[in-house]
C-alpha cells in the first residue's frame, strides 16, 4: 500500500497563528484587525489563517514547517499562561529556555531577516573602500545566498537554541497595561531596543544583537499584557519583588505601540478594542522617526600590531538601523551602577560571558591588505 503523502501547508506563517489569536477580534480566534502602513488601509477583520504568512516561505518539503509547528505547540501554553494566569516560567526551568528559544526564532524566522540578507548581497559588490581602494570583495556573497536558501533557513533556525544560554541571565517580567490604549502587534512583533546604547550615543554597529549590554526585548501578548526581557545590570523594572508591573501612563503604552509601527514591514495588527483613529494617530507619529531594519555596510580602518608597518587592516561592518525614539517608560529606570559602565571598544558593548557576538544583525569581517 502506497504511503500517504504528507500535506504541506501552502500558507506558512511567520507570526504563528496561535499568537495572532491572542489579538483576535472579540476573541473569536479567527480574525484580526489590520492596518497596512504603506497604503494607510484599515481593516477590522482579516482571516488569521491567511494573514502574516507567505506561500511556501519555509519550503515545499515540509521539514522546516514541521519543526516550527512543534516549537509553536510547545511554546503556546507558556505564553497563554502569561496573560491568562499572570504566570511566568521559573528562572532557568525548561519553560524559561523554551520561552527564550521562541523569542529568538520569532525574530530570525521573519521575512525582514532574509530581506536584509538579500540587500546585503546586492549592496556588497558596489560598496567602495577608501582603505583598500576599490570595491569590496565578493567573497561573502555565497554565504549570504546560502542563508537565504531553504537549507540555510533550516540551519539558522535550528541553531537558534545555541543563542539561548546567552539570554538566560536576563531578567523578565510582565507589563500590565492599565490604560485605555490597547497593545498592538505588527508583522515583526518582537521589539529589540537598547536605551543604554541609545543614551550613550553608541554608533558602532546596530544595537540589535542578542549579546549586547542594555538589551531590551518587548513582546505584546494580548491587548493588556506585554513580556519584557531586559539586562538587569543596566535597568530595573518596577520593584525588586514584583513580577507583574502595572503601567497606567498612556504615553508609555503609546510609545511601545509606536515601536510596532517602526519595526514593521507592511502591517500592524490589533483586536476589537483598537480604533481607526488611534491607529492613524500612531501612524502620523511614526512618520517623525526612522524605521528599523534598513541595512548598511561600513568600512573602518583598524590598527595593526606593531612591526607590521607595511600592512593596512580594514573592518567591514554590516548592520541595520535601530529603533530610536528616545524611549522613556514608566517604572523602567537605569540602575545607578549602569552609569559607571565604560564603552571604549567593540568588545565593551557585549555582556560578560556572552558566547555569540554579532550573530543576528551585525557582521564584522576583518581583512588585512598589504600596501603597495
Amino acid at each position: 500500500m502506497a504511503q500517504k503523502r504528507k500535506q504541506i501547508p501552502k500558507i506558512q506563517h511567520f507570526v504563528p497563528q496561535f499568537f495572532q489569536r491572542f489579538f483576535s477580534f472579540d476573541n473569536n480566534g479567527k480574525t484580526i484587525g489590520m492596518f497596512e502602513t504603506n497604503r494607510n488601509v484599515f481593516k477590522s477583520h482579516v482571516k488569521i489563517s491567511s494573514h502574516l504568512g507567505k506561500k511556501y516561505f519555509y519550503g515545499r518539503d515540509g521539514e522546516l514547517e514541521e519543526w516550527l509547528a512543534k516549537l509553536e505547540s510547545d511554546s503556546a501554553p507558556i505564553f497563554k499562561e502569561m496573560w491568562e494566569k499572570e504566570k511566568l516560567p521559573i528562572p532557568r526551568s525548561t519553560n524559561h529556555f523554551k520561552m527564550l528559544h521562541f523569542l529568538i526564532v520569532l525574530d530570525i524566522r521573519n521575512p525582514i531577516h532574509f530581506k536584509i540578507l538579500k540587500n546585503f548581497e546586492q549592496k556588497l559588490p558596489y560598496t567602495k573602500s577608501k582603505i583598500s581602494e576599490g570595491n569590496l570583495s565578493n567573497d561573502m556573497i555565497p554565504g549570504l545566498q546560502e542563508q537565504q536558501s531553504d537549507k540555510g533557513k533550516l540551519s539558522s533556525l535550528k541553531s537558534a537554541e545555541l543563542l539561548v544560554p546567552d539570554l538566560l541571565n536576563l531578567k523578565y517580567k510582565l507589563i500590565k497595561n492599565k490604560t485605555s490604549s490597547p497593545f498592538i502587534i505588527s508583522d515583526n512583533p518582537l521589539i529589540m531596543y537598547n536605551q543604554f546604547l541609545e543614551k550613550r550615543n553608541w554608533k558602532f554597529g546596530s544595537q540589535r544583537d542578542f549579546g549586547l549590554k542594555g538589551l531590551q526585548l518587548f513582546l505584546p501578548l494580548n491587548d493588556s499584557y506585554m513580556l519584557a526581557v531586559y539586562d538587569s545590570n543596566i535597568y530595573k523594572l518596577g520593584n525588586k519583588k514584583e513580577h507583574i508591573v502595572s503601567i497606567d501612563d498612556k504615553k508609555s503604552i503609546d510609545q511601545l505601540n509606536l515601536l510596532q509601527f517602526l519595526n514593521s514591514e507592511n502591517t500592524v495588527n490589533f483586536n476589537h478594542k483598537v480604533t481607526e483613529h488611534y491607529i492613524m494617530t500612531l501612524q502620523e507619529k511614526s512618520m517623525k522617526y526612522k524605521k528599523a531594519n534598513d541595512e548598511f555596510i561600513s568600512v573602518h580602518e583598524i590598527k595593526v600590531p606593531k612591526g607590521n608597518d607595511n600592512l593596512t587592516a580594514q573592518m567591514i561592518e554590516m548592520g541595520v538601523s535601530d529603533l530610536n525614539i528616545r524611549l522613556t517608560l514608566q517604572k523602567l529606570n537605569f540602575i545607578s551602577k549602569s552609569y559607571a559602565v565604560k564603552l571604549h571598544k567593540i568588545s565593551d558593548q557585549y555582556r560578560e560571558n556572552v558566547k555569540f557576538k554579532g550573530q543576528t544583525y551585525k557582521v564584522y569581517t576583518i581583512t588585512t591588505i598589504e600596501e603597495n
Side-chain angles (χ1 to χ4, degrees):
M1 185 176 178
Q3 188 176 3
K4 190 176 180 181
R5 188 179 178 185
K6 182 171 58 178
Q7 189 172 2
I8 309 303
K10 184 177 181 181
I11 300 298
Q12 299 175 352
H13 295 81
F14 48 86
V15 177
Q17 292 186 76
F18 88 79
F19 196 80
Q20 293 187 59
R21 292 187 192 108
F22 294 168
F23 294 84
S24 63
F25 192 93
D26 274 338
N27 303 312
N28 64 15
K30 297 179 180 179
T31 62
I32 192 170
M34 178 195 73
F35 178 73
E36 292 186 42
T37 56
N38 53 346
R39 297 197 304 141
N40 285 5
V41 175
F42 181 97
K43 295 180 181 179
S44 58
H45 292 273
V46 294
K47 288 184 179 180
I48 289 173
S49 60
S50 57
H51 190 50
L52 302 182
K54 293 188 175 187
K55 289 182 181 178
Y56 300 113
F57 183 61
Y58 300 116
R60 292 176 179 269
D61 62 7
E63 184 178 359
L64 181 50
E65 180 70 3
E66 193 173 282
W67 183 85
L68 287 168
K70 175 67 166 61
L71 174 75
E72 291 168 15
S73 65
D74 286 347
S75 304
I78 299 170
F79 286 90
K80 189 174 183 181
E81 278 193 331
M82 291 183 193
W83 59 263
E84 199 170 57
K85 299 180 180 179
E86 294 189 342
K87 182 180 177 182
L88 285 165
I90 297 168
R92 297 191 171 271
S93 66
T94 300
N95 281 354
H96 181 198
F97 190 98
K98 287 180 178 179
M99 177 191 84
L100 294 173
H101 189 205
F102 177 85
L103 295 182
I104 296 167
V105 171
L106 184 63
D107 182 61
I108 296 175
R109 73 189 286 184
N110 197 276
I112 283 181
H113 181 80
F114 301 102
K115 180 183 175 182
I116 289 167
L117 294 173
K118 183 67 176 177
N119 289 340
F120 280 152
E121 176 196 336
Q122 292 174 343
K123 280 187 173 183
L124 199 60
Y126 303 101
T127 303
K128 295 185 180 297
S129 168
K130 293 180 181 178
I131 300 158
S132 59
E133 297 182 1
N135 292 348
L136 295 178
S137 168
N138 292 340
D139 291 350
M140 287 183 284
I141 290 180
L144 292 168
Q145 292 172 334
E146 169 63 20
Q147 291 178 67
Q148 299 167 64
S149 68
D150 290 347
K151 183 181 177 182
K153 288 177 182 177
L154 179 65
S155 176
S156 65
L157 287 169
K158 283 195 170 183
S159 63
E161 66 178 338
L162 299 176
L163 294 170
V164 173
D166 283 349
L167 301 182
L168 284 172
N169 285 330
L170 298 178
K171 194 98 170 176
Y172 52 99
K173 293 187 177 185
L174 287 178
I175 293 175
K176 188 172 185 178
N177 181 358
K178 305 288 283 186
T179 76
S180 60
S181 298
F183 284 134
I184 65 173
I185 57 169
S186 73
D187 53 16
N188 189 26
L190 180 68
I191 300 299
M192 297 178 68
Y193 206 91
N194 200 315
Q195 286 177 287
F196 170 70
L197 293 182
E198 177 185 53
K199 190 165 185 173
R200 293 295 185 90
N201 201 29
W202 184 249
K203 297 297 184 183
F204 200 91
S206 69
Q207 296 169 9
R208 303 185 60 214
D209 189 284
F210 289 115
L212 292 174
K213 290 175 181 173
L215 177 67
Q216 298 161 302
L217 304 175
F218 298 108
L219 182 67
L221 302 173
N222 70 356
D223 59 16
S224 299
Y225 290 92
M226 175 178 287
L227 174 65
V229 183
Y230 58 96
D231 183 354
S232 59
N233 286 318
I234 302 294
Y235 317 102
K236 59 180 179 180
L237 176 60
N239 66 48
K240 193 172 183 179
K241 292 184 178 180
E242 65 181 345
H243 300 295
I244 317 297
V245 180
S246 294
I247 290 183
D248 59 11
D249 175 51
K250 188 175 182 299
K251 184 180 177 183
S252 293
I253 302 302
D254 290 346
Q255 285 183 79
L256 290 168
N257 283 338
L258 177 63
L259 292 177
Q260 291 292 330
F261 271 81
L262 297 172
N263 204 47
S264 71
E265 184 169 18
N266 297 314
T267 68
V268 293
N269 299 94
F270 39 83
N271 70 6
H272 53 283
K273 296 181 182 179
V274 176
T275 65
E276 184 172 359
H277 173 73
Y278 181 62
I279 291 296
M280 296 306 295
T281 301
L282 287 174
Q283 168 77 335
E284 187 177 346
K285 286 181 180 178
S286 73
M287 297 299 175
K288 301 175 184 176
Y289 300 97
K290 182 178 177 61
K291 289 195 75 169
N293 308 305
D294 288 340
E295 70 294 325
F296 63 84
I297 302 176
S298 301
V299 182
H300 308 274
E301 184 173 359
I302 56 176
K303 294 180 180 178
V304 295
K306 291 182 179 179
N308 293 284
D309 297 336
N310 62 324
L311 297 180
T312 300
Q314 67 179 4
M315 181 168 64
I316 303 163
E317 174 198 351
M318 304 164 70
V320 297
S321 59
D322 299 308
L323 291 165
N324 189 331
I325 63 169
R326 297 294 165 185
L327 181 67
T328 55
L329 297 180
Q330 182 186 32
K331 298 185 180 180
L332 178 60
N333 299 296
F334 289 92
I335 62 174
S336 56
K337 70 175 184 179
S338 70
Y339 297 102
V341 176
K342 305 296 183 184
L343 294 174
H344 297 299
K345 53 188 183 297
I346 297 174
S347 58
D348 292 341
Q349 66 186 341
Y350 291 103
R351 300 189 302 276
E352 288 185 18
N353 303 317
V354 165
K355 185 176 180 181
F356 294 97
K357 301 174 182 179
Q359 295 295 307
T360 46
Y361 288 100
K362 53 184 174 185
V363 180
Y364 303 119
T365 64
I366 298 175
T367 57
T368 304
I369 308 103
E370 187 172 349
E371 290 184 342
N372 295 327

